[in-house]
Amino acid sequence: MSDPNIEKVRDESASEAEERLQHPWLGRFLFGFAIVVSLAHLYFNTFSTLSTLWTSAMHFGFFGVLCALSVPLARPQGAGARRLVLGVDILLALAAAGCVIYLMAFEDALYARGVTFVTSDWIVSIAAVALILEFARRTTGWFIPVLCIVALTYVAWWGQYVNGVFNFPGLSWETVLFRSYIGGEGMLGSIARISWTYVFMFILFGAFLVKSGAGDFIIELARCAAGRFVGGPGFVAVFSSGLMGSVSGSSVANTVSTGVITIPLMRKAGFPARFAAGVEAAASTGGQLMPPVMGAGAFIMASYTQVSYLTIIGVAALPALLYFLSVAMFVRIEAKRSDAQHLADPNAPKIGEVLKNGWHFLLPLVVLVAALIYGFTPTYAAGIAIVSVIVSSWLSKNPMKPRDILDALVLGSRNMITTAILLITVGLIVNVVSTTGIGNTFSLMITDWAGGSLLITIFLIAVASLILGMGLPVTASYIVLGTLSAPALYNLMAHAQLLDLIAAGNLPEQARAIFMIAAPDQIQALSSPMSMAEAKALLDKVPDTFSSQLYEQALSPAFLTMSLVAAHMVIFWLSQDSNVTPPVCLTAFAAAAIAGTPQMRTGFTAWKLAKGLYIIPLLFVWSPLITGTPLEMFTVFVFALFGVYAIIAGLEGYLEHELPWWLRLLMFPIGALMLWPHGMLAIDLAGVAIFLAVLLWSGRQGRSTPRLA
């Protein structure tokens, strides 16, 4: 099946890039230039005193040149046509560099003229926008460039002809181009800053780990730790994808790197081929949920919420672990149903031997976490961790040599091309959203459509993320959707907590002053408990203009901050579903290619196995899994573990043995009971007891029922 999606474009781009690297003189130039790019970014993130605008511009220039020369404009057949395309690409690379040099040389002159464009300003601004759109087309396909063109023309032209809430009077093309490039608000704005700081440093860190041999160590460790259990190869896929994803942050790269080993292992153990591919796709999708990289999501989330990166990855850890365990539950059930066995390899090393030979690969991760806890910024922590990779490799039998270090620098730059171009381009869309206020309008529309219901709001966001994910990579989908809908979700979460306080009669005294203005006759009612309907009717009397002030007065700053994180985390998780949800499920398609299974059927299997993507985000909203104390978070995690297992048993109709229909139906309310935030420990314990009883009964049934030969 031919699928014109982003990953196909990326695969073609990768092969074209490899071809360019084999070019007699261009390959040597790209190798050297990639080293310069990595070293320059190390300088930007450590000792540089250049302005943010200039650094962002140089980031655009560096990766514009790399993209132009690595990913050809077209793929002609004849030698003459290839030379022509190469000539055009060289001119585009020079144009990208020229745009950067012009901005740095003539920025002061532009401001001296009162930000009035002359001819050269027009030419350079148009060229810069056109170049980044062309580079985005080469690396991610047509969807993002078209979306950018629609957004830019909306601001400058057709927005004034739209009726209703989306009417926008318009800005001049001069203002649009200034804000898009020279003004540092679009291409060179906050998203580009995240790209050249956090994202690049962690991608470079991952490249050094790969070149040091850590990838092989991770897979061997997973095989030793999980491969000895029944259905062990499936657990190896889950475990290795989690470990690899914690560094790579790319679901498709995760699938390709680990799937070529784990999918054949699963098939050999007796798992159906389609299930094996689905497990790898679902587990690799979780790689973008696992700290520390999270597919650049952690850095973007930290920028949006103004919450520290360390806090973001701290609250993301338990939900990510819960997701991987949910996939492992499917593996366990299918292993029992398919009678899949563990593969006893007499030549396989013991886990002690693997750790003895590769323990030093864990040191960089320890150094990274320690540096973050000590108080270093994520970029400095990543820089220190990169140095620790080199130093720790000297403890192995294959220490990194100068050539290995150079190769790691090149790999980091090459791996960053698509991400850098993507984030710089998305900055144009984010700038349009902030300029027009369309984000607030969209948030109000979601709230209106949902009728104030959190569940319906999350459903609408899930649908929007799935649609966006058909054309956008998940990071871009999260950026766009987070900008548009996070405020609505955050306000509804704060609104729900405020209703609980009013209904319980626990509204703080300072918040009651607002009700003295909006509903003075109801002040006495605030002192005693009331029904939720009465609380809602009372809160509806407060004008919307006072809502944010009321939240600040009634709710603790810590709760509001973590609620904002939870809102973004919900959107970030839901944005991952396009990887495993047909009709465009990129990670599932990559796994299907390895397993040799039908793409769409594999996509539906991966979608079933990734049910945690839809269940776990609900806990962010209605439980303290993210917003609570460490004890509350761990308590929710434990009961959610049993709850998710019960729901999966209901979906599969199987635990250690096939469940009768009535017991299968019982699993759904039992699981929901342990997931629902009712606050009654006795009910949760009762749910766990019932589930464990069913599990033990199922195990006895499995042992007493003979297998058919």
Side-chain angles (χ1 to χ4, degrees), residues 410-453:
V410 172
L411 181 63
S413 292
R414 288 181 58 195
N415 288 348
M416 184 66 188
I417 291 175
T418 298
T419 303
I421 296 299
L422 168 67
L423 293 178
I424 293 169
T425 310
V426 168
L428 292 171
I429 301 172
V430 173
N431 181 44
V432 168
V433 171
S434 61
T435 298
T436 60
I438 200 171
N440 293 332
T441 303
F442 191 81
S443 293
L444 291 173
M445 288 180 62
I446 288 180
T447 305
D448 185 50
W449 292 342
S453 168

Side-chain angles (χ1 to χ4, degrees), residues 16-37:
E16 292 161 0
E18 291 294 337
E19 185 178 321
R20 284 277 174 98
L21 286 173
Q22 303 304 318
H23 193 279
W25 59 266
L26 183 59
R28 289 194 293 271
F29 173 80
L30 286 172
F31 184 87
F33 189 73
I35 294 172
V36 171
V37 170

